Structures are given as C-alpha cells and as structure tokens.
Amino acid sequence: MPRPSHKRRVLHVASECYPLIKTGGLADVVGALPIALDETGAVESTVFLPGFPAVLAGLTGIKTYAKLTALDGSPVRLVSGTTQTGLSVIAADCDTLFGYDGNPYQLADGSDRPGNGIAFASFSKLAAQIATGINRKRGFDVLHAHDWQAGLAAAYLKTEGADVTTLFTIHNLAFQGLFPKELLASTGLPNSVFTEEGLEYWGKLSFLKSGVTYSDWVTTVSPTYALEIQMDEDGMGFGGLLRSRSDRLRGILNGVDQTVWDPATDPTIFAPFSASDLSGKAKNKAALQDELGLSRAAEGPLFCVISRLTGQKGLDLVPDMLDGIVARGGQMALLGSGDGVIEQAFLAAQKRHPDHVAVKIGYDEPFAHRLQAGADVILIPSRFEPCGLTQLCAMRYGTIPVTSRVGGLMDTVIGATPATQAVGAATGVTFHPVNPHMLWAAIDKSIALYANKFEWSQMVATAIAQDFGWTAPARDYLELYQT
C-alpha cells in the first residue's frame, strides 16, 4: 500500500466515544478505531464530539480551540483535550445544544429530544468548519462521519466545494435522522439539496441520507451487512440508493479493543484466565452465581444476555425459552433495558425461578465484563445485526455465542456442524430463520454440546483464540483514506 508523504489528518465526527459517553457499540468503535489508525504511523486522528457534561468532565488538559456560533445563534466554545485512553478530542461546549445529562438522543420517557434536529445540524456544521480549518488552525485531510448525527457534515463540505475527503460509516441503518423539511431553512444549506437526489426522504430531511449521498465513500460495519442493506427487504427504504453507490460502498468488519477486553488483565472480573490457562473461567462463573444469588448446583450452562431489549435483537423471543432452559438445568443472567414488555417478561421469569434467572435492568460496564467472564453462553438472536460487538467480546472470554446468521454475526461466528467440529473450527451455535422454533433448537443444541465436555472445551479454546482486534480493519480504512 502506498504511503502518503505526510500523516493523513483524520477528523472522526461522532456523538459517542468510549470512555466518555456510551449508549452502544458506536462508542466502542469511535473509542478504539482512531487509536488503531494512529498506530499505523500513517494517520493522526482527532475525535469531534458534542460537549455533553460527561464528555467535558472526562477530558484532561482542556484548552480553548476556537469560539464559533451555532446555527441557532448560541455561542459555542470548542475545546480540545485528551481522554484517559490517549485520544485527542475536540468538543463543542454549548449548554443550549448539549448541556444535558442522560441519554444523548432521548428523554426519560423514550421520546426523541425535541432539539435533536438543530443540535446535530449545528454539530455537523461545526465539524465541517473544523475540517476546513478555523482561526488559523490547520484543517484535516479526511472527515470520517459516524451515523446520522454527523450525516450533514458531508453536505456542508460538498456544497462549499471543500477539498476534504469524506467517509460516512453506517453503524445501524435503522436510525435515519428524520426531521421535518422546515428544518432546512435553519441549517444554512441551499434549497437545492432538498431533492430525491439529495437529502430529501419522503418529504422529510434525512441526515443519514445526506451522509450516504454526499460522502466520497460509504462504509458499514461488516461485509454481510453491506450486502444485506442493498436489498429492498433489508435496506429499510435505502436499498436503491445504496445499490446506486455500490462502487463506493464497503463493508469493513468492526473490531474490539483487545486491551480493554482481555480476561488475562481485566481488573473488573473475579479471576484472570487466558487461552493457555482457562482455570479462571470456572472461578468467574462461581463468583457470578454468588453475586446474582443463583444456585451453584445447576448442571446446565449459564446463559447471558447483554443487550438493548428490542425486537431488532430478537429478545422478545427469549422469555418464552426460560422455563425450558431452567428445566434443562440451565440458568440465565441478563443485563439490559429497552422495551417495557420485554423487561417485564424477564422480570416475571426471575420471580418464577429466583435461583436460576437473574435480571438487571440498565447498563453497567464492569458488570458486563463479569457477565462475559462468568457465563457459558451468550444469546444474540438478532433479526438484523450490522456487526455486533458482544459476540466478539464473548469469544475473547471463552463464552460461546448462540446467534442468528445475519450481518456481522454471520461474518464472525462459525457455527457448530459435524464438519466444523471435526476440524476444531466451531466457535458458536448459529441458526436461521429467527423464530421461536429455530431459536429453541439452537439453545437445545448448545445445552447438549455443553454436556459433552470434550466438544465444549474445544469450542471454548477455539473461540478464545480468535483475533478480533482493530489492526486489520484500520488497514482497510486507511486504504480508503488514501484512495
């Protein structure tokens, strides 16, 4: 691969970034990919974030980068700083737009924040200004926008004719950033962008469509998902548009930060272990059972779920499986939140089986690590899945994924079949289509495999030996930056 004569300055634009603010996998990607890119020696990365209180509180060495004005006239102080992981960050400090705690996009009742449109339009405009250079500050060679919250940045750069390469990554096509067309007047973008060839989507503005339409490159987070979203049945209304851009669309598999997800050094789990010494795995299971009040006498596997509780994740199907799991000697530990009906169904199962089902509504990062380390199996029955990170983390911790064969799950989990087991290649149990019958068949198969200690230990050893780091994905992104 040809190397540029200077480091490419890349501005990652996103609404989340681990360890500052996180609601899902987007934060993990934005927190790890820039570091992996910098390690290639060909890139100098900076992450641009909304200045939520948690973001500003988590930065060190804060300095004023520039002072600008938001689209609604609010003053914005751009500040630069560094995360505890060494990421270089610029944040938009503006109380009017981002001065709130809690979920970045939703109110406590789950409804969208009413100011999202102008807030993230302003965020995208600020990103474009930073990318082209402000107040004698040097600009950037590449603007890499992540998901709809940053989607307008490419439109601002394209309509201004800026000499900045743009790349837009779709982390989940289901979130499209749709707003009333009246918002266009407040964005400062020309009326000419509100067309079927621009960012108009069924009479509304789509920030995600802006990213797809105006960026030089479009990527998504697994090769299979890149193919799926070009089909009308899985494209969520964008199939035709994405097919029209297929020559500029790439699927690059996500990785995980293997320094964060490492059972040999993880300070949040009960006992360390590794591929060469798995003895600590059993200690973690016993300690997790004690923590959750689950019986150590259960003979079957300890299943876990770490997820948003939604229909997309297929988790509406799981509560009906719990009586059967318990009857087969298994247990379940859940960490997540979402659909109230699904939450209540899991809580009801916990009441029926207090020694075998434990439910924690919400999200707790250290507890997620303890679950991954202590569980035997993780259930991920998603109806669609752009990439999925929990199965990658699970395999790092010797926890076997039971997954549907969709998107990134299909790209990362090798299902147990006579052929894959014969050569020791299986890393999980896979099924398709997503329905109660097929899910139970996969659960039943995993219980049977668990009972065969030789087969199970072989799968665990193969899973924990997989390499899902960021080195290879970073090289793929670098190739696009340099094209």
Side-chain angles (χ1 to χ4, degrees):
M1 182 187 307
R3 294 269 176 158
S5 58
H6 68 283
K7 288 186 177 182
R8 292 290 172 101
R9 286 171 52 81
V10 178
L11 182 68
H12 289 267
V13 184
S15 54
E16 301 179 30
C17 178
Y18 177 85
L20 300 174
I21 186 165
K22 174 179 175 176
T23 68
L26 170 64
D28 293 312
V29 174
V30 177
L33 175 58
I35 292 174
L37 285 164
D38 288 353
E39 289 174 350
T40 68
V43 169
E44 181 183 306
S45 300
T46 300
V47 178
F48 178 49
L49 298 168
F52 299 119
V55 170
L56 299 176
L59 294 175
T60 60
I62 288 181
K63 297 178 181 179
T64 298
Y65 185 86
K67 292 183 179 180
L68 298 174
T69 303
L71 293 170
D72 65 353
S74 301
V76 179
R77 183 173 75 109
L78 297 178
V79 299
S80 62
T82 306
T83 69
Q84 65 186 45
T85 57
L87 271 177
S88 175
V89 171
I90 299 171
D93 182 6
C94 178
D95 280 346
T96 306
L97 300 180
F98 306 118
Y100 51 85
D101 293 305
N103 188 287
Y105 328 112
Q106 295 179 328
L107 299 173
D109 63 3
S111 62
D112 290 342
R113 291 187 181 275
N116 276 350
I118 196 66
F120 289 107
S122 293
F123 178 61
S124 293
K125 175 66 173 179
L126 292 166
Q129 291 174 281
I130 294 169
T132 53
I134 50 176
N135 292 5
R136 295 193 295 276
K137 296 287 196 311
R138 184 180 167 195
F140 289 79
D141 303 301
V142 179
L143 184 146
H144 185 158
H146 297 264
D147 264 354
W148 71 262
Q149 295 89 347
L152 288 190
Y156 285 115
L157 291 171
K158 190 68 69 176
T159 55
E160 294 167 5
D163 185 21
V164 177
T165 297
T166 50
L167 188 148
F168 180 68
T169 295
I170 300 168
H171 293 263
N172 192 333
L173 193 65
F175 303 109
Q176 300 175 351
L178 299 176
F179 298 96
K181 64 180 180 181
E182 289 76 19
L183 179 66
L184 181 65
S186 301
T187 65
L189 289 166
N191 291 331
S192 58
V193 302
F194 192 72
T195 64
E196 187 177 337
E197 294 73 31
L199 49 77
E200 182 269 336
Y201 184 76
W202 295 96
K204 294 185 176 182
L205 298 181
S206 170
F207 285 24
L208 184 139
K209 188 180 179 186
S210 170
V212 172
T213 300
Y214 292 108
S215 295
D216 297 312
W217 290 97
V218 180
T219 69
T220 191
V221 290
S222 73
T224 295
Y225 190 61
L227 295 174
E228 290 174 344
I229 61 176
Q230 295 180 63
M231 308 301 172
D232 291 338
E233 59 269 31
D234 295 316
M236 300 186 177
F238 284 78
L241 172 62
L242 290 162
R243 285 195 299 274
S244 74
R245 298 230 60 199
S246 61
D247 63 326
R248 290 280 173 155
L249 173 62
R250 299 286 186 273
I252 300 176
L253 189 67
N254 275 345
V256 293
D257 188 333
Q258 296 188 141
T259 63
V260 173
W261 294 97
D262 183 354
T265 60
D266 190 339
T268 67
I269 67 175
F270 298 107
F273 60 97
S274 66
S276 60
D277 180 6
L278 286 168
S279 60
K281 179 74 175 172
K283 296 175 183 177
N284 279 282
K285 180 177 180 178
L288 180 64
Q289 288 170 320
D290 291 345
E291 179 183 3
L292 297 177
L294 299 176
S295 170
R296 284 200 193 185
E299 295 182 354
L302 172 55
F303 291 81
C304 76
V305 168
I306 305 170
S307 178
R308 287 182 293 111
L309 305 183
T310 66
Q312 175 215 324
K313 300 293 187 179
L315 293 173
D316 53 312
L317 303 178
V318 175
D320 289 341
M321 309 287 148
L322 295 180
D323 291 345
I325 288 173
V326 173
R328 293 289 307 276
Q331 297 176 316
M332 168 63 71
L334 175 139
L335 173 64
S337 63
D339 186 299
V341 173
I342 299 176
E343 288 182 0
Q344 290 304 312
F346 275 103
L347 290 168
Q350 179 179 242
K351 288 184 178 180
R352 293 195 305 273
H353 308 290
D355 293 338
H356 291 80
V357 178
V359 176
K360 183 170 184 176
I361 301 300
Y363 189 74
D364 180 331
E365 185 83 9
F367 182 59
H369 284 242
R370 296 198 297 279
L371 269 183
Q372 294 281 27
D376 299 300
V377 181
I378 186 166
L379 288 183
I380 313 175
S382 302
R383 290 182 168 89
F384 67 92
E385 191 63 68
C387 177
L389 295 179
T390 52
Q391 84 277 12
L392 306 183
C393 300
M395 286 186 277
R396 288 278 290 163
Y397 284 64
T399 298
I400 299 301
V402 172
T403 72
S404 51
R405 289 196 296 271
V406 297
L409 300 175
M410 189 171 179
D411 291 330
T412 56
V413 180
I414 301 172
T417 67
T420 59
Q421 288 171 266
V423 295
T427 60
V429 176
T430 64
F431 68 96
H432 192 77
V434 179
N435 60 41
H437 173 74
M438 296 304 292
L439 173 57
W440 175 251
I443 290 172
D444 189 59
K445 182 174 182 176
S446 69
I447 294 173
L449 285 168
Y450 181 80
N452 184 325
K453 296 306 179 186
F454 173 77
E455 295 282 4
W456 191 259
S457 62
Q458 185 179 56
M459 285 181 63
V460 169
T462 304
I464 202 170
Q466 301 299 300
D467 181 0
F468 291 114
W470 275 105
T471 300
R475 286 198 300 264
D476 291 338
Y477 280 111
L478 179 59
E479 184 175 356
L480 294 185
Y481 297 161
Q482 294 177 347
T483 300

